[in-house]
Amino acid sequence: MMSRVQFLAAVLALTFACTADAKEALEEVRDEFLSAYDLALQGSAVGATDSEQLRAYPLYSYLQAARIGQQFDQPGAVPPEADAQTATFLAQFSDEPV
């Protein structure tokens, strides 16, 4: 039978292991976000496919805004889908600081 101290030690060890894994996963998606954001600001995000983790990242809406904004900053005509993307974005995030 496991003593109370052994049980608590096991729970703490598991908690620290899960926390380390979560921190590593967050760092990975943060790096993915920063790379994608840099590409968006350069106007190089055409056809980008985002991972599920990136789409769940708290700052993902800023990446979307950067990508939409770049469509309007490009020389020539604005792509027809840019207006629809903007309308969808504004409807979804109208109460957000982004």
Side-chain angles (χ1 to χ4, degrees):
M1 189 108 152
M2 189 182 281
S3 74
R4 187 178 280 189
V5 172
Q6 289 173 322
F7 176 75
L8 289 174
V11 168
L12 285 174
L14 182 59
T15 301
F16 287 125
C18 289
T19 303
D21 289 344
K23 183 178 178 181
E24 184 176 313
L26 181 60
E27 288 174 359
E28 287 176 12
V29 73
R30 183 182 302 125
D31 290 343
E32 183 180 358
F33 170 82
L34 291 172
S35 295
Y37 192 76
D38 285 342
L39 286 174
L41 293 179
Q42 297 170 16
S44 303
V46 176
T49 55
D50 301 327
S51 69
E52 188 175 320
Q53 293 82 5
L54 181 57
R55 289 190 304 270
Y57 189 64
L59 299 178
Y60 186 67
S61 57
Y62 288 86
L63 174 59
Q64 290 174 294
R67 287 176 175 165
I68 292 169
Q70 281 299 319
Q71 294 180 62
F72 291 96
D73 291 340
Q74 299 300 318
V78 175
E81 65 272 4
D83 286 329
Q85 290 172 348
T86 301
T88 301
F89 181 86
L90 291 174
Q92 183 177 1
F93 297 106
S94 63
D95 294 334
E96 301 292 324
V98 68

